[in-house]
């Protein structure tokens, strides 16, 4: 029987990966790469897409490698213990914008981003696979999954809520002053475009410094949490290892009907979240004219999504009770998808005006009820699929099964990020290069059609994904 300490220790793993690194990569990176680092929309889109195609190969290989690992720490824990420091270090380097020319920046971004995905895979695939060897009790698996999601969303809430304040802190008084001045100018339609561009050029180096410091701070926290997870958790079950590596395991996956359905569902969940998190920054910058101040409370795109994080944390904890009430994980997933579908459609009809901010926040909260309810289910269902695969094939492929969950996460996030960059270009957004050589979106190209596209990417596109997700969950073959 696992202790509370171990469940909290397991939660720390996703607090680091899902609550810090992946959260920042999902919500801040699309805007960071174009408006701070200096990549074009096309380069940023291609970068994230290429990285995920890279993951399609590395994730399954990592899962198969993890299944065959034997050490004094067990099968999966050594990857967390030994990978913790590289995990935090590469993340910090990725948020550093070097003073290179356009080609140099492109090479740096590609190399560091691919390296980050490789390290993330080396840590996160074994982390997910731990669930299959910590317990064989189905109810306890649900509890571990619930703790995992609470940890991820609690840390995600802290990360997103604190992000603008930490950004201002590291940026300094000049950064805060210029940002407020820029916001006021953008809100005034008669403002001089040249003055706006001049201030944006002054902000860029301050922004780059602030992001670099954020990378160092959060990189250290993520590394410590990952290490703690590896040291606190226990592996109670020994996987039924295959004698040697064989591509038959990969072939067997495509004969596993529950795996095909669940991987498709996993891709949908990450498309759903990927669109919303990646487009939030563009929505605030170009639809709402920057940060919104309500009294003394600053609401930017990270704080906006942080409201959803705390709701996901609460309903992630409630998910096992909800599932028991509904009668099966499959139907609990269906009902959660319906919530996401309906609320996302309704969000589209909210006017693009900061005075409706509290209404927007309410809809983010309602959407997050659905997300919070289905998130723990996904990983518990992967454990069920791994058990089914062991019975079907006679050997364990836990790491390989769980690697598809990580692959779905990264594929969904990248493709959605790439589509956002490309669709903004299709809608008419163009890039300009300032006097310092940094590429940013040309404010004059942000027409009503671009704004409508941004609004749709946050609402209608995710709604369509939720519809597919609910249908696939309804058809999921395992009835646990």
């Amino acid at each position: 029987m696992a202790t509370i300490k171990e469940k909290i220790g397991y939660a720390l793993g996703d607090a680091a990966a899902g609550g810090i690194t992946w959260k920042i990569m999902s919500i801040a990176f699309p805007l960071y790469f174009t408006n701070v680092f200096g990549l074009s929309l096309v380069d940023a889109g291609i970068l994230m897409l290429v990285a995920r195609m890279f993951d399609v190969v590395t994730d399954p290989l990592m899962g198969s490698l993890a299944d065959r690992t034997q050490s004094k720490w067990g099968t999966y824990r050594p990857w967390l213990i030994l990978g913790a420091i590289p995990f935090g270090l590469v993340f910090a380097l990725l948020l550093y914008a070097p003073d290179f020319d356009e080609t140099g920046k492109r090479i740096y971004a590609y190399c560091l981003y691919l390296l980050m995905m490789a390290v993330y895979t080396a840590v996160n695939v074994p982390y997910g696979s731990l669930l299959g060897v910590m317990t064989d009790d189905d109810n306890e698996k649900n509890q571990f999954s619930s703790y995992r999601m609470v940890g991820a969303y609690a840390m995600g809430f802290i990360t997103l809520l604190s992000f603008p304040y930490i950004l201002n802190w590291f940026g300094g008084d000049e950064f805060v002053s210029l940002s407020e001045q820029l916001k006021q100018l953008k809100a005034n339609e008669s403002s001089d475009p040249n003055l706006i561009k001049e201030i944006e050029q002054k902000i860029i180096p301050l922004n780059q410094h602030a992001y670099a410091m954020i990378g160092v701070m959060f990189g250290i926290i993520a590394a410590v949490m990952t290490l703690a997870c590896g040291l606190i958790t226990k592996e109670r079950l020994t996987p039924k290892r295959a004698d040697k590596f064989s591509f038959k395991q990969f072939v067997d996956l495509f004969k596993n009907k529950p795996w095909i359905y669940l991987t498709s569902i996993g891709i949908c969940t990450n498309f759903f979240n990927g669109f919303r998190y990646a487009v939030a920054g563009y929505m605030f910058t170009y639809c709402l004219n920057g940060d919104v101040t309500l009294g003394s409370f600053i609401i930017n795109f990270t704080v906006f999504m942080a409201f959803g994080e705390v709701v996901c944390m609460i309903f992630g904890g409630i998910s096992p009770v909800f599932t028991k009430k509904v009668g099966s994980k499959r139907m609990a997933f269906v009902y959660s998808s319906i919530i996401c579908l309906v609320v996302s459609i309704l969000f589209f009809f909210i006017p693009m005006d900061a005075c409706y901010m509290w209404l927007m926040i309410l809809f983010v909260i309602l959407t997050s009820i659905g997300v919070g309810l289905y998130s723990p289910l996904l990983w518990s269902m992967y454990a069920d699929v791994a058990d089914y695969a062991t019975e079907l094939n006679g050997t364990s492929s836990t790491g390989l099964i769980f690697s598809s969950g990580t692959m779905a996460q990264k594929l969904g996030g990248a493709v959605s990020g790439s589509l956002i960059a490309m669709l903004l270009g299709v809608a008419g957004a163009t890039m300009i290069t300032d006097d310092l050589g940094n590429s940013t979106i040309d404010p004059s190209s942000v027409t009503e059609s671009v704004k409508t596209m941004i609004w749709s990417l946050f609402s209608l596109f995710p709604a369509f994904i939720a519809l597919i997700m609910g249908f696939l969950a309804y058809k999921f073959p395992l009835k646990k």
Side-chain angles (χ1 to χ4, degrees):
M1 188 75 175
T3 63
I4 296 294
K5 177 183 176 182
E6 187 179 357
K7 291 172 183 175
I8 293 173
Y10 185 65
L12 288 176
D14 212 18
I20 296 178
T21 58
W22 194 257
K23 199 66 64 183
I24 292 175
M25 289 167 70
S26 297
I27 196 167
F29 272 25
L31 199 63
Y32 165 74
F33 276 127
T34 56
N35 287 19
V36 179
F37 190 89
L39 294 182
S40 69
L41 276 171
V42 173
D43 278 335
I46 292 175
L47 167 62
M48 288 184 278
L49 187 59
V50 167
R52 295 318 185 264
M53 296 304 103
F54 174 72
D55 290 330
V56 169
V57 177
T58 58
D59 280 29
L61 289 176
M62 183 63 230
S64 184
L65 178 61
D67 284 333
R68 287 164 177 75
T69 301
Q70 298 184 56
S71 76
K72 64 179 181 180
W73 293 309
T75 300
Y76 303 113
R77 291 170 58 232
W79 292 96
L80 279 77
I81 294 169
L82 299 177
I85 292 177
F87 183 51
L89 177 62
V90 176
F91 177 74
L93 290 173
L94 190 54
L95 281 168
Y96 170 71
D99 186 19
F100 295 160
D101 61 16
E102 184 178 345
T103 301
K105 283 188 175 183
R106 189 181 294 122
I107 293 172
Y108 183 90
Y110 270 76
C111 291
L112 263 294
Y113 200 73
L114 289 174
L115 183 59
M116 181 64 206
M117 290 301 96
V119 176
Y120 188 95
T121 295
V123 169
N124 207 243
V125 168
Y127 168 73
S129 305
L130 262 177
L131 184 60
V133 294
M134 288 192 296
T135 179
D136 58 359
D137 181 81
D138 194 54
N139 183 54
E140 202 162 47
K141 285 178 185 176
N142 287 343
Q143 291 177 22
F144 269 113
S145 292
S146 182
Y147 268 84
R148 171 183 181 167
M149 289 299 103
V150 170
Y153 285 122
M155 194 64 217
F157 171 73
I158 293 169
T159 300
L160 297 182
L161 187 66
S162 63
F163 198 90
Y165 298 96
I166 296 173
L167 193 67
N168 287 345
W169 181 40
F170 284 129
D173 293 339
E174 184 183 4
F175 175 78
V176 175
S177 175
L178 289 172
S179 297
E180 183 60 31
Q181 188 178 348
L182 183 63
K183 176 188 171 184
Q184 292 174 0
L185 287 170
K186 287 184 174 181
N188 186 350
E189 295 182 359
S190 62
S191 296
D192 182 2
N194 293 324
L195 180 57
I196 291 176
K197 289 180 182 179
E198 182 183 334
I199 295 175
E200 286 177 335
Q201 290 170 17
K202 291 180 180 179
I203 286 178
I204 288 173
L206 299 173
N207 224 345
Q208 289 175 341
H209 169 74
Y211 269 94
M213 296 306 296
I214 284 174
V216 171
M217 186 184 79
F218 279 117
I220 291 172
I221 296 172
V224 170
M225 285 183 166
T226 302
L227 180 61
C229 175
L231 295 174
I232 293 172
T233 51
K234 297 178 182 178
E235 298 187 23
R236 294 177 176 81
L237 308 176
T238 302
K240 297 178 182 178
R241 307 176 197 276
D243 293 334
K244 59 182 181 179
F245 177 83
S246 171
F247 282 103
K248 182 179 181 298
Q249 282 191 307
F250 296 92
V251 175
D252 287 340
L253 281 179
F254 293 93
K255 297 178 181 178
N256 186 330
K257 189 176 179 181
W259 175 82
I260 293 172
Y261 270 94
L262 191 58
T263 299
S264 301
I265 292 168
I267 291 172
C268 285
T269 63
N270 289 289
F271 270 142
F272 182 83
N273 287 325
F275 275 114
R276 296 171 67 248
Y277 279 94
V279 83
Y282 292 110
M283 189 170 74
F284 267 75
T285 301
Y286 301 110
C287 296
L288 302 176
N289 297 316
D291 299 352
V292 177
T293 304
L294 300 176
S296 59
F297 191 45
I298 301 173
I299 299 180
N300 76 341
F301 64 100
T302 62
V303 176
F304 181 68
M305 298 306 291
F307 285 95
E309 294 294 302
V310 72
V311 174
C312 285
M313 176 187 70
I314 294 168
F315 282 86
I318 294 172
S319 183
V321 178
F322 176 71
T323 302
K324 188 175 290 187
K325 185 79 172 176
V326 170
S328 70
K329 299 174 189 177
R330 179 178 66 94
M331 290 311 299
F333 218 112
V334 170
Y335 292 135
S336 303
S337 301
I338 292 172
I339 293 172
C340 294
L341 167 66
V342 174
V343 179
S344 294
I345 291 174
L346 293 175
F347 188 96
F348 178 77
F349 297 98
I350 301 175
M352 293 183 212
D353 194 314
C355 68
Y356 292 94
M357 179 52 61
W358 287 118
L359 183 61
M360 296 176 204
I361 290 171
L362 173 63
F363 275 70
V364 166
I365 288 171
L366 293 174
T367 306
S368 298
I369 291 174
V371 176
L373 289 173
Y374 75 59
S375 293
L377 296 173
L378 185 68
W379 297 105
S380 182
M381 290 161 76
Y382 269 115
D384 295 338
V385 171
D387 291 342
Y388 174 80
T390 301
E391 293 175 11
L392 187 68
N393 303 315
T395 57
S396 173
S397 55
T398 301
L400 187 58
I401 296 289
F402 274 90
S403 74
S404 61
T406 307
M407 180 185 70
Q409 179 188 37
K410 291 188 281 190
L411 182 64
V415 174
S416 58
S418 299
L419 282 175
I420 286 168
M422 293 174 186
L423 288 171
L424 288 180
V426 169
T430 58
M431 303 295 293
I432 56 172
T433 302
D434 60 30
D435 295 339
L436 298 176
N438 297 296
S439 296
T440 59
I441 293 177
D442 184 355
S444 65
S445 71
V446 182
T447 60
E448 287 303 314
S449 64
V450 172
K451 292 180 181 179
T452 301
M453 176 62 77
I454 293 171
W455 212 253
S456 299
L457 286 168
F458 192 83
S459 54
L460 297 184
F461 279 73
F464 178 69
I465 298 300
L467 178 64
I468 299 173
M469 183 169 67
F471 174 76
L472 291 172
Y474 181 75
K475 290 290 187 179
F476 184 66
L478 300 182
K479 310 299 182 184
K480 289 187 178 183

